[in-house]
Amino acid sequence: MDGKTIDFTAAEWHVMECLWAHAPLTGREAAQRLQTETGWSRSTVLTLLRRLEEKGAVASGTEGGLKRFRPLVRREDAALRETEDFLGRVYHGSLCMMVSSLTQRQTLPQEEIDGLYALLREMEAKQDG
């Protein structure tokens, strides 16, 4: 699964982040981890896990007599899908407009500026060669 057709709510993102970091997890383990971050009850977490399973983002299987959940979508694929959606919706697909907007209110550290230059040089080299 590549994450291109699955949209996550903010709550589902929390659950997916937990699974990406710690999978496989039982419902109880996921609920314990998420309860400290979000205050959600076990039933809320189980509902979200079930919803993610229905979407095809999460799979479950029995291991050692316990039902365990694991992500079927890679974090990188889901993040790219979310970023592309945001960029298209908010900035009409313009990466330049987004970066300009982000840098108008805050100063970028030199390390980030250097990283952006390196990324641009890399992209330019790919287009030239």
Side-chain angles (χ1 to χ4, degrees):
M1 176 86 27
D2 62 11
K4 290 189 175 129
T5 59
I6 299 176
D7 291 318
F8 298 123
T9 65
E12 290 168 345
W13 264 102
H14 279 291
V15 175
M16 292 301 295
E17 289 286 1
C18 183
L19 289 175
W20 285 319
H22 305 289
L25 291 174
T26 65
R28 180 180 306 274
E29 291 167 338
Q32 287 172 340
R33 289 184 179 277
L34 288 162
Q35 201 281 327
T36 58
E37 290 176 30
T38 64
W40 294 338
S41 69
R42 184 169 179 242
S43 65
T44 298
V45 174
L46 292 175
T47 297
L48 289 166
L49 284 166
R50 180 183 43 77
R51 193 182 309 161
L52 287 164
E53 211 170 1
E54 289 170 359
K55 286 183 172 186
V58 169
S60 65
T62 304
E63 297 175 22
L66 298 172
K67 185 175 183 177
R68 297 189 183 276
F69 297 89
R70 64 179 176 78
L72 293 177
V73 176
R74 293 181 333 137
R75 188 188 190 293
E76 297 79 14
D77 293 331
L80 180 59
R81 163 70 175 83
E82 190 76 16
T83 302
E84 288 171 340
D85 181 57
F86 172 78
L87 187 63
R89 195 170 19 89
V90 177
Y91 293 102
H92 307 288
S94 172
L95 182 60
C96 187
M97 191 172 12
M98 183 182 83
V99 171
S100 174
S101 176
L102 291 172
T103 58
Q104 285 178 7
R105 291 229 167 147
Q106 67 184 31
T107 305
L108 286 178
Q110 188 61 46
E111 183 178 298
E112 295 236 359
I113 293 170
D114 294 343
L116 287 170
Y117 274 124
L119 179 62
L120 290 171
R121 283 191 295 273
E122 183 181 315
M123 292 172 64
E124 192 173 51
K126 284 181 182 176
Q127 288 180 350
D128 291 342

